[in-house]
Amino acid sequence: MIRRPRLRRGVPVPLLALALVLGLVAPFGSSLPASADDSTPPDGAPVAVTVTVPEATASPTSPTQPVTPGKAGTGSGAGSGGGAGGSAGTGTTVIGSAGIASATEAKEPSIPKAPAGTAEHAAVDRATYRPGDTVTVSSEGFAPGEQVQIVLFGEGTLVANVAADAEGRVQHAFALPKELNAGQHTVQLTGWQSHRVAASRFLVELVPATAAPGIQGVPPWAWWAGGGIGLLLLLGVAWWLMRALRVPEARTA
């Protein structure tokens, strides 16, 4: 009696190993994109696998920092400088002829050699002066608190620099030089920041020459007249004495 070999129950070990390998490889194979050609290659032919590499995504850039514009600078009556990230401009701000002036860049004006051709009105307390007299000049319309230069012409002499009050008014008293020449003179006021110019003209007269005072208040002409009369009297007395001393001659019969 021939015994047939019995098949062993259970799964062979090689089949289990193959299934394990396929189970590990299957997820990676499914993630690969399918080729554009779905046709099945013949047996034994190499299989072309197309791998698509995703494009590199640009890293997000940092947000642009906001650019802080610089403050616009101000020039004389207008702005200058400024821009993105720029430094603030500098200058003098003037608002109108009677506005508020910034003294940041204020400098004393140079003394002119002659009065300005056109100027605003300034007032003096008198129309005629003599050398050594006190002149009071006043004007308004300057920037509040600004320095105002006062110059006396005709020689272009600096009198003073005075500050305007809160309403832009200036008043100043000064003495005329004793050696000042006679004639027409001008006093001119110039604002340091507003550059406003005001002027006034006045006349200077020379002091008339006075006669030398006499002795004890007697005028010189009286002394001359008295001396002449005294001389005449002296001559008359001398003539009378000469007549009196002359002896008359005796007459004979």
Side-chain angles (χ1 to χ4, degrees):
M1 183 176 181
I2 299 173
R3 295 181 180 180
R4 295 178 179 180
R6 297 180 180 179
L7 297 176
R8 294 181 181 181
R9 294 180 181 180
V11 181
V13 174
L15 293 177
L16 291 175
L18 179 61
L20 180 61
V21 170
L22 292 176
L24 294 175
V25 174
F28 295 97
S30 62
S31 63
L32 297 176
S35 173
D37 186 5
D38 294 337
S39 61
T40 303
D43 295 338
V47 179
V49 178
T50 303
V51 179
T52 304
V53 179
E55 296 182 358
T57 305
S59 60
T61 59
S62 58
T64 304
Q65 297 295 332
V67 179
T68 304
K71 296 182 180 180
T74 55
S76 179
S80 64
S87 59
T90 58
T92 302
T93 303
V94 179
I95 306 176
S97 61
I100 299 175
S102 172
T104 304
E105 300 293 338
K107 295 182 180 180
E108 180 181 1
S110 58
I111 300 175
K113 297 181 180 180
T118 58
E120 301 294 335
H121 174 71
V124 291
D125 56 337
R126 287 159 50 187
T128 304
Y129 299 89
R130 291 179 178 178
D133 287 351
T134 299
V135 179
T136 301
V137 61
S138 59
S139 185
E140 59 186 10
F142 296 97
E146 77 166 321
Q147 290 290 318
V148 179
Q149 180 191 73
I150 303 177
V151 178
L152 176 64
F153 298 97
E155 298 179 355
T157 304
L158 177 64
V159 174
N161 285 298
V162 297
D165 62 13
E167 297 181 358
R169 293 181 301 209
V170 173
Q171 182 172 333
H172 183 69
F174 63 96
L176 294 175
K178 294 183 178 181
E179 63 277 7
L180 189 64
N181 296 328
Q184 196 80 20
H185 292 266
T186 301
V187 57
Q188 179 172 293
L189 294 80
T190 304
W192 285 28
Q193 292 86 29
S194 64
H195 302 289
R196 183 181 186 274
V197 178
S200 180
R201 294 183 179 181
F202 55 88
L203 182 64
V204 174
E205 295 179 344
L206 293 179
V207 178
T210 57
I215 300 175
Q216 295 181 354
V218 179
W221 64 267
W223 289 101
W224 285 104
I229 295 174
L231 181 59
L232 291 176
L233 291 176
L234 183 60
L235 292 175
V237 170
W239 180 79
W240 182 81
L241 289 175
M242 291 177 64
R243 291 287 305 269
L245 293 176
R246 183 179 299 176
V247 178
E249 295 179 356
R251 295 181 178 180
T252 59

